Amino acid sequence: MRLEDYPTEPQYTATVLSSQPITEQGSEVEVRELVMKVTDHEFNFEIGQSVGVLAPGPSDFGGSIHHRLYTVADIPKEKGEGDPEITLVVRRCNYIDDYSGEEYVGVNSNYLCDRRAGDTVTITGPFGMPFTVPEDKNSNLLLIGMGTGIAPVRALVKHIYNHVGDWKGQIRLMMGAQSGLELLYMNNERDDFTNYYDEDTFEAFKALSPRPSWADPIAWDYAIEDRAEEIWRLLTEDDTYVYVAGQKKVRESLDRLFGNISGSTEGWAKRKAELIEQERWVELLY
């Protein structure tokens, strides 16, 4: 489904309650966590859904409204706990035009990163629900999140341990970033995943660029090869679900690496096709 296919109605007004940086000082990127209150009780969302943000465009482009989707990074409030609240994780983005070489700011990301407590934002949705909790609590989950793709993963893990409870399957979280400064919810600024380190079923590990200042690719190969036996066991078991979130380029890297640990590209392609057909391989890529 293309972005332009998502409706921009109905619209809701969300008031910013807080905007906090969740990347460490010294990081070359800025990622903020925004918590917003929606002043309409008809608005509600489920784990893993996205909301649309309508941001005014630059005046030199006619001030047109830009519509972009962001996955909600937290779980819904319980009924009766007041107005609905949503949490978004937003990276401030700029890009270089391939033809002119000029730098442009990402309209929606900069708009959101500039919002402060008390400001209002117009949102739409919610849309979709890419990541669902398997009914069988013995199911294994292999969660792979890169950059702001950690947002839906964080909400899923929090929901499983806070609301579902008594999870017996293994939950393995692979997080990717250019450097440790850019790891979200697993750094000195915010380390939410420490809440689950005491859970026997949970384990998280990192994949970082070996030379972050050179913008080298994230070292998924080191992280995966160190745990190749465990990962391949999970991928071949009939009760494992794989959820992948982040930039589209991670798909090619994972296919190459999983092909290596499976012994052949063809063997991995066949196994992945089976996981997709059984709805046990789900991607949320942008």
Side-chain angles (χ1 to χ4, degrees), residues 11 37 51 55 81 108 141 152 162 167 183 235 254-255 259 261 267 279:
Q11 297 180 7
K37 178 177 68 174
V51 296
E81 289 187 353
N108 288 61
L141 298 179
N162 289 14
W167 197 261
L183 279 171
L235 289 171
L254 292 177
D255 282 339
I261 65 175
E279 299 183 345

PDB file of all heavy atoms in Angstrom, residues 11 37 51 55 81 108 141 152 162 167 183 235 254-255 259 261 267 279:
ATOM      1  N   GLN A  11      -9.333  13.291  11.235  1.00  0.00           N
ATOM      2  CA  GLN A  11      -8.149  13.910  11.822  1.00  0.00           C
ATOM      3  C   GLN A  11      -8.380  14.167  13.303  1.00  0.00           C
ATOM      4  O   GLN A  11      -9.502  14.429  13.734  1.00  0.00           O
ATOM      5  CB  GLN A  11      -7.822  15.221  11.100  1.00  0.00           C
ATOM      6  CG  GLN A  11      -7.478  15.033   9.627  1.00  0.00           C
ATOM      7  CD  GLN A  11      -7.164  16.337   8.921  1.00  0.00           C
ATOM      8  OE1 GLN A  11      -7.068  17.402   9.539  1.00  0.00           O
ATOM      9  NE2 GLN A  11      -6.982  16.261   7.603  1.00  0.00           N
ATOM     10  N   LYS A  37      -0.861  13.579  23.837  1.00  0.00           N
ATOM     11  CA  LYS A  37      -2.208  13.243  24.303  1.00  0.00           C
ATOM     12  C   LYS A  37      -3.213  13.594  23.222  1.00  0.00           C
ATOM     13  O   LYS A  37      -3.175  14.699  22.670  1.00  0.00           O
ATOM     14  CB  LYS A  37      -2.536  14.003  25.592  1.00  0.00           C
ATOM     15  CG  LYS A  37      -3.950  13.756  26.126  1.00  0.00           C
ATOM     16  CD  LYS A  37      -4.168  14.476  27.443  1.00  0.00           C
ATOM     17  CE  LYS A  37      -4.171  15.988  27.257  1.00  0.00           C
ATOM     18  NZ  LYS A  37      -4.516  16.692  28.524  1.00  0.00           N
ATOM     19  N   VAL A  51       0.409   5.876  13.048  1.00  0.00           N
ATOM     20  CA  VAL A  51      -0.441   7.046  12.872  1.00  0.00           C
ATOM     21  C   VAL A  51       0.171   7.919  11.796  1.00  0.00           C
ATOM     22  O   VAL A  51       1.382   7.903  11.564  1.00  0.00           O
ATOM     23  CB  VAL A  51      -0.607   7.862  14.178  1.00  0.00           C
ATOM     24  CG1 VAL A  51      -1.309   7.044  15.239  1.00  0.00           C
ATOM     25  CG2 VAL A  51       0.740   8.378  14.673  1.00  0.00           C
ATOM     26  N   ALA A  55       1.933  17.559   8.445  1.00  0.00           N
ATOM     27  CA  ALA A  55       2.812  18.687   8.758  1.00  0.00           C
ATOM     28  C   ALA A  55       2.776  19.705   7.630  1.00  0.00           C
ATOM     29  O   ALA A  55       2.748  19.336   6.456  1.00  0.00           O
ATOM     30  CB  ALA A  55       4.248  18.197   8.955  1.00  0.00           C
ATOM     31  N   GLU A  81      -8.204   5.293  31.968  1.00  0.00           N
ATOM     32  CA  GLU A  81      -7.034   5.997  32.494  1.00  0.00           C
ATOM     33  C   GLU A  81      -6.871   7.393  31.898  1.00  0.00           C
ATOM     34  O   GLU A  81      -5.799   7.975  31.974  1.00  0.00           O
ATOM     35  CB  GLU A  81      -5.768   5.178  32.226  1.00  0.00           C
ATOM     36  CG  GLU A  81      -5.662   3.917  33.063  1.00  0.00           C
ATOM     37  CD  GLU A  81      -4.318   3.230  32.895  1.00  0.00           C
ATOM     38  OE1 GLU A  81      -3.534   3.657  32.028  1.00  0.00           O
ATOM     39  OE2 GLU A  81      -4.058   2.267  33.641  1.00  0.00           O
ATOM     40  N   ASN A 108       8.453  16.371   7.697  1.00  0.00           N
ATOM     41  CA  ASN A 108       7.733  15.873   8.866  1.00  0.00           C
ATOM     42  C   ASN A 108       8.648  15.588  10.048  1.00  0.00           C
ATOM     43  O   ASN A 108       8.300  15.877  11.195  1.00  0.00           O
ATOM     44  CB  ASN A 108       6.941  14.619   8.505  1.00  0.00           C
ATOM     45  CG  ASN A 108       5.741  14.926   7.649  1.00  0.00           C
ATOM     46  OD1 ASN A 108       5.886  15.443   6.541  1.00  0.00           O
ATOM     47  ND2 ASN A 108       4.552  14.617   8.137  1.00  0.00           N
ATOM     48  N   LEU A 141      10.365 -15.669  19.423  1.00  0.00           N
ATOM     49  CA  LEU A 141      10.339 -14.443  18.640  1.00  0.00           C
ATOM     50  C   LEU A 141      11.766 -14.004  18.358  1.00  0.00           C
ATOM     51  O   LEU A 141      12.562 -13.838  19.279  1.00  0.00           O
ATOM     52  CB  LEU A 141       9.612 -13.328  19.392  1.00  0.00           C
ATOM     53  CG  LEU A 141       8.145 -13.551  19.734  1.00  0.00           C
ATOM     54  CD1 LEU A 141       7.588 -12.351  20.499  1.00  0.00           C
ATOM     55  CD2 LEU A 141       7.324 -13.812  18.490  1.00  0.00           C
ATOM     56  N   PRO A 152       8.328  -0.160  17.071  1.00  0.00           N
ATOM     57  CA  PRO A 152       7.294  -1.193  17.237  1.00  0.00           C
ATOM     58  C   PRO A 152       7.791  -2.396  18.020  1.00  0.00           C
ATOM     59  O   PRO A 152       7.005  -3.055  18.710  1.00  0.00           O
ATOM     60  CB  PRO A 152       6.952  -1.569  15.789  1.00  0.00           C
ATOM     61  CG  PRO A 152       8.167  -1.209  14.997  1.00  0.00           C
ATOM     62  CD  PRO A 152       8.711   0.025  15.669  1.00  0.00           C
ATOM     63  N   ASN A 162       4.599  -7.051  30.217  1.00  0.00           N
ATOM     64  CA  ASN A 162       3.775  -6.293  31.155  1.00  0.00           C
ATOM     65  C   ASN A 162       2.318  -6.738  31.162  1.00  0.00           C
ATOM     66  O   ASN A 162       1.650  -6.659  32.204  1.00  0.00           O
ATOM     67  CB  ASN A 162       3.828  -4.795  30.841  1.00  0.00           C
ATOM     68  CG  ASN A 162       5.167  -4.180  31.179  1.00  0.00           C
ATOM     69  OD1 ASN A 162       6.145  -4.879  31.405  1.00  0.00           O
ATOM     70  ND2 ASN A 162       5.237  -2.863  31.215  1.00  0.00           N
ATOM     71  N   TRP A 167       5.484 -15.699  29.584  1.00  0.00           N
ATOM     72  CA  TRP A 167       5.960 -16.091  28.259  1.00  0.00           C
ATOM     73  C   TRP A 167       7.031 -17.164  28.393  1.00  0.00           C
ATOM     74  O   TRP A 167       7.998 -17.011  29.118  1.00  0.00           O
ATOM     75  CB  TRP A 167       6.527 -14.884  27.514  1.00  0.00           C
ATOM     76  CG  TRP A 167       6.631 -15.162  26.039  1.00  0.00           C
ATOM     77  CD1 TRP A 167       7.740 -15.545  25.353  1.00  0.00           C
ATOM     78  CD2 TRP A 167       5.571 -15.109  25.093  1.00  0.00           C
ATOM     79  NE1 TRP A 167       7.430 -15.738  24.024  1.00  0.00           N
ATOM     80  CE2 TRP A 167       6.107 -15.483  23.832  1.00  0.00           C
ATOM     81  CE3 TRP A 167       4.219 -14.791  25.187  1.00  0.00           C
ATOM     82  CZ2 TRP A 167       5.333 -15.530  22.673  1.00  0.00           C
ATOM     83  CZ3 TRP A 167       3.446 -14.842  24.034  1.00  0.00           C
ATOM     84  CH2 TRP A 167       4.002 -15.208  22.799  1.00  0.00           C
ATOM     85  N   LEU A 183      22.222   3.751  19.443  1.00  0.00           N
ATOM     86  CA  LEU A 183      21.330   2.679  19.847  1.00  0.00           C
ATOM     87  C   LEU A 183      20.170   3.278  20.639  1.00  0.00           C
ATOM     88  O   LEU A 183      20.386   4.008  21.612  1.00  0.00           O
ATOM     89  CB  LEU A 183      22.067   1.658  20.706  1.00  0.00           C
ATOM     90  CG  LEU A 183      22.905   0.611  19.963  1.00  0.00           C
ATOM     91  CD1 LEU A 183      23.724  -0.178  20.963  1.00  0.00           C
ATOM     92  CD2 LEU A 183      22.020  -0.317  19.139  1.00  0.00           C
ATOM     93  N   LEU A 235      15.326 -20.159  13.357  1.00  0.00           N
ATOM     94  CA  LEU A 235      14.730 -19.989  12.041  1.00  0.00           C
ATOM     95  C   LEU A 235      14.148 -21.295  11.495  1.00  0.00           C
ATOM     96  O   LEU A 235      13.238 -21.259  10.652  1.00  0.00           O
ATOM     97  CB  LEU A 235      15.763 -19.443  11.058  1.00  0.00           C
ATOM     98  CG  LEU A 235      16.189 -17.991  11.266  1.00  0.00           C
ATOM     99  CD1 LEU A 235      17.362 -17.644  10.364  1.00  0.00           C
ATOM    100  CD2 LEU A 235      15.025 -17.035  10.999  1.00  0.00           C
ATOM    101  N   LEU A 254      20.277  -9.174   5.536  1.00  0.00           N
ATOM    102  CA  LEU A 254      19.818 -10.358   6.262  1.00  0.00           C
ATOM    103  C   LEU A 254      19.725 -11.569   5.346  1.00  0.00           C
ATOM    104  O   LEU A 254      20.076 -12.684   5.748  1.00  0.00           O
ATOM    105  CB  LEU A 254      18.459 -10.075   6.914  1.00  0.00           C
ATOM    106  CG  LEU A 254      18.459  -9.053   8.049  1.00  0.00           C
ATOM    107  CD1 LEU A 254      17.047  -8.819   8.550  1.00  0.00           C
ATOM    108  CD2 LEU A 254      19.362  -9.500   9.191  1.00  0.00           C
ATOM    109  N   ASP A 255      19.243 -11.366   4.114  1.00  0.00           N
ATOM    110  CA  ASP A 255      19.156 -12.494   3.185  1.00  0.00           C
ATOM    111  C   ASP A 255      20.543 -13.075   2.911  1.00  0.00           C
ATOM    112  O   ASP A 255      20.716 -14.296   2.844  1.00  0.00           O
ATOM    113  CB  ASP A 255      18.508 -12.045   1.870  1.00  0.00           C
ATOM    114  CG  ASP A 255      16.999 -11.911   1.985  1.00  0.00           C
ATOM    115  OD1 ASP A 255      16.425 -12.530   2.897  1.00  0.00           O
ATOM    116  OD2 ASP A 255      16.395 -11.205   1.152  1.00  0.00           O
ATOM    117  N   GLY A 259      21.580 -16.656   4.371  1.00  0.00           N
ATOM    118  CA  GLY A 259      22.004 -17.614   3.355  1.00  0.00           C
ATOM    119  C   GLY A 259      23.319 -18.260   3.728  1.00  0.00           C
ATOM    120  O   GLY A 259      23.515 -19.466   3.536  1.00  0.00           O
ATOM    121  N   ILE A 261      24.585 -18.740   6.843  1.00  0.00           N
ATOM    122  CA  ILE A 261      24.492 -19.672   7.965  1.00  0.00           C
ATOM    123  C   ILE A 261      23.622 -20.883   7.630  1.00  0.00           C
ATOM    124  O   ILE A 261      23.720 -21.912   8.295  1.00  0.00           O
ATOM    125  CB  ILE A 261      23.990 -18.983   9.255  1.00  0.00           C
ATOM    126  CG1 ILE A 261      22.557 -18.487   9.109  1.00  0.00           C
ATOM    127  CG2 ILE A 261      24.915 -17.844   9.650  1.00  0.00           C
ATOM    128  CD1 ILE A 261      21.989 -17.916  10.400  1.00  0.00           C
ATOM    129  N   GLY A 267      18.763 -22.491  -0.215  1.00  0.00           N
ATOM    130  CA  GLY A 267      18.155 -23.077   0.982  1.00  0.00           C
ATOM    131  C   GLY A 267      17.480 -22.032   1.842  1.00  0.00           C
ATOM    132  O   GLY A 267      16.379 -22.256   2.363  1.00  0.00           O
ATOM    133  N   GLU A 279       2.970 -16.886   7.567  1.00  0.00           N
ATOM    134  CA  GLU A 279       2.782 -15.612   8.265  1.00  0.00           C
ATOM    135  C   GLU A 279       3.625 -15.545   9.532  1.00  0.00           C
ATOM    136  O   GLU A 279       3.208 -15.003  10.557  1.00  0.00           O
ATOM    137  CB  GLU A 279       1.304 -15.359   8.573  1.00  0.00           C
ATOM    138  CG  GLU A 279       0.450 -15.271   7.317  1.00  0.00           C
ATOM    139  CD  GLU A 279      -1.000 -14.959   7.617  1.00  0.00           C
ATOM    140  OE1 GLU A 279      -1.413 -15.080   8.795  1.00  0.00           O
ATOM    141  OE2 GLU A 279      -1.732 -14.604   6.676  1.00  0.00           O
TER     142      GLU A 279
END
